[in-house]
């Protein structure tokens, strides 16, 4: 089954052609560099950029896969969570193509797509597993009993980890997105120089918080007479260390609680070498097999949408052309239940 996957949930306009949820024929990601000017994603600009980029991006994905629209069996597009205006561009485009060609259309959950993306790289991914999806918009810890069968164990109660990383990068005068910049800077810094606080939430469970940490970095910077390059590197390294520890701690707790034998860490922040190494180490100690997609597959892309869409279609599902986008996971689950 040949599926065209379209992803427009944030600031990447992406399209891919994937065969049988396993073989990537093409993957095109048009990143919107205009947001660098503002130090963060401006939702209205993102939607307008998606409108400009969606047709050339899909055309290139079809051309690189050496297929025509006629050869495609179905069209999948992200339905949420994400920026509503951005989501609507990809979703409406996919629905229009489906209507015009008569080919089935399927709306895809972005978190599910991140977690099942590794299928194109490994045969090892086998639920049940604990999944940590960590990106600019989400920090969700799920227990995945099977494809489509999820228990939300916990999520951030405030900023997503990637959002906090992007904001701290901005405070340090670094560019956007902040993740790669913080990573590069922290490699020259001392992670033990500053003891930034790790959030301790009162209620027990798997929820996380990153806004207090972000504020602690802000106050620290504001109280310095000057911030030379060495101190900046130490701030980046000390901050990165706490973010990684907080994420890995919850991953470990969840694996223990669920007696999991497999864990998946996915999403844009999973590009972080520090997070990859720390989760690898923690999982090895627990005897849990860790699956992390390659760095390219961690960031938003069309491949993961095509994969999740294919798995849904193979279960006999397809979406109505009335399907609408949802900005939050809760809203999305509500729509799925109704
Ligand atoms: O999954 P993604 O591409 O888009 C969303 O769904 O949000 O994730 C983007 C996030 C941004 O916050 C970015 O700063 C972060 O992933 N990121 C990283 C790294 N590369 C990207 N965070 C830490 N280390 C990195 N190397
Ligand atoms: Zn994402």
């Amino acid at each position: 089954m040949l599926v065209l996957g379209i992803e427009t949930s944030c600031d990447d306009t992406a399209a891919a052609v994937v065969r049988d949820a396993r073989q990537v024929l093409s993957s095109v990601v048009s990143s919107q560099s205009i947001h660098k000017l503002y130090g963060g994603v401006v939702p209205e600009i993102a939607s307008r950029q998606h409108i400009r980029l969606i047709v050339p991006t899909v055309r290139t994905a079809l051309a690189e896969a050496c297929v025509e629209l006629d050869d495609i069996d179905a069209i999948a597009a992200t339905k949420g969570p994400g920026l509503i205006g951005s989501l609507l561009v990809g979703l409406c485009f996919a629905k229009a193509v489906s209507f015009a060609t008569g080919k089935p259309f399927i709306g895809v959950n972005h978190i599910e797509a991140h977690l099942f993306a590794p299928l194109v790289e490994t045969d090892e991914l086998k639920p049940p597993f604990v999944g940590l999806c960590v990106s600019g918009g989400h920090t969700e810890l799920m227990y995945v009993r099977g494809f489509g069968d999820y228990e939300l164990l916990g999520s951030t109660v405030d900023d997503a980890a990637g959002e906090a990383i992007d904001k701290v990068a901005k405070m340090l005068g670094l560019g956007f997105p902040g993740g790669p910049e913080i990573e590069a800077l922290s490699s020259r810094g001392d992670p033990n120089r500053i003891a930034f606080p790790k959030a301790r939430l009162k209620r027990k469970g798997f929820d996380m918080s990153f806004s207090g940490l972000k504020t602690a970095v802000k106050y620290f910077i504001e109280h310095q007479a000057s911030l030379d390059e060495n101190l900046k590197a130490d701030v980046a390294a000390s901050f990165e260390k706490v973010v990684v520890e907080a994420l890995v701690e919850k991953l470990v707790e969840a694996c223990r609680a669920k007696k999991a034998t497999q864990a998946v860490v996915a999403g844009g922040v999973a590009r972080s070498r520090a997070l990859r190494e720390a989760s690898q180490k923690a999982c090895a100690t627990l005897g849990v097999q860790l699956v992390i997609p390659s760095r390219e597959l961690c960031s938003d892309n069309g491949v993961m949408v095509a994969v999740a869409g294919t798995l849904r279609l193979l279960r006999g599902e397809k979406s109505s052309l009335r399907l609408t986008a949802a900005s939050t996971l809760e809203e999305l689950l509500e729509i799925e239940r109704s």
Side-chain angles (χ1 to χ4, degrees), residues 48 73 125 263 293:
R48 288 170 190 233
D73 294 305
L125 186 74

Side-chain angles (χ1 to χ4, degrees), residues 10 12 110 114 135-138 162-163 165-166 177-180 183 267-269 271-272 295 298-300:
C10 192
D12 292 313
H110 186 80
H114 269 302
S135 73
H138 332 278
E163 190 182 349
I165 292 172
D166 291 338
E183 178 162 65
V269 179
R271 289 178 67 95
S272 155
R295 278 164 59 94
C298 286
S299 312
D300 288 349

Side-chain angles (χ1 to χ4, degrees), residues 127-320:
F129 59 77
V130 167
L132 174 66
C133 182
V134 58
S135 73
H138 332 278
T139 305
E140 258 98 32
L141 195 55
M142 329 260 293
Y143 185 55
V144 177
R145 286 192 202 90
F147 179 74
D149 184 3
Y150 312 119
E151 180 185 346
L152 181 61
L153 299 174
S155 57
T156 178
V157 296
D158 38 56
D159 290 7
E163 190 182 349
I165 292 172
D166 291 338
K167 285 180 180 159
V168 166
K170 199 171 177 181
M171 291 173 205
L172 290 170
L174 305 173
F176 176 84
E181 306 257 346
I182 290 275
E183 178 162 65
L185 188 59
S186 66
S187 66
R188 302 195 291 275
D190 174 2
N192 300 314
R193 165 106 180 254
I194 309 144
F196 289 125
K198 196 180 326 162
R200 295 255 165 256
L201 295 177
K202 279 206 187 87
R203 60 173 184 272
K204 277 212 175 335
F206 300 100
D207 282 346
M208 291 160 265
S209 161
F210 294 95
S211 107
L213 169 62
K214 175 192 71 185
T215 310
V217 176
K218 179 173 180 276
Y219 288 151
F220 179 86
I221 293 172
E222 282 174 5
H223 283 89
Q224 303 308 305
S226 70
L227 201 63
D228 64 18
E229 284 308 304
N230 285 337
L231 184 54
K232 265 193 193 177
D234 291 343
V235 171
S238 304
F239 163 73
E240 185 188 61
K241 180 184 155 200
V242 181
V243 172
V244 168
E245 276 178 9
L247 292 169
V248 173
E249 190 178 286
K250 289 294 167 190
L251 180 70
V252 167
E253 280 175 24
C255 286
R256 282 210 177 102
K258 290 294 176 187
K259 298 188 174 47
T261 53
Q262 189 170 75
V264 175
V265 178
V269 179
R271 289 178 67 95
S272 155
R273 287 188 182 83
L275 178 60
R276 298 173 84 85
E277 278 165 24
S279 25
Q280 192 70 61
K281 213 169 143 192
C283 284
T285 308
L286 280 176
V288 167
Q289 182 194 26
L290 179 68
V291 175
I292 302 196
S294 63
R295 278 164 59 94
E296 307 77 66
L297 204 59
C298 286
S299 312
D300 288 349
N301 61 79
V303 172
M304 64 187 203
V305 179
V307 168
T310 307
L311 297 178
R312 291 263 164 203
L313 289 156
L314 289 173
R315 286 156 46 121
E317 295 177 30
K318 64 177 203 165
S319 299
S320 147

Side-chain angles (χ1 to χ4, degrees), residues 1-3 17-25 67 120 310:
M1 182 187 275
L2 212 55
V3 173
V17 178
V18 178
R19 191 187 301 282
D20 300 330
R22 293 279 176 180
Q23 189 194 358
V24 180
L25 271 59
V67 296
V120 295
T310 307

Side-chain angles (χ1 to χ4, degrees), residues 11 32-33 35-41 166 169 174-181:
D11 60 335
Q32 303 177 0
S33 56
H35 302 283
K36 288 183 195 293
L37 293 175
Y38 305 94
V41 177
D166 291 338
L174 305 173
F176 176 84
E181 306 257 346

Side-chain angles (χ1 to χ4, degrees), residues 36 44 66 77 104 106 154:
K36 288 183 195 293
E44 179 60 24
C66 299
I106 183 93

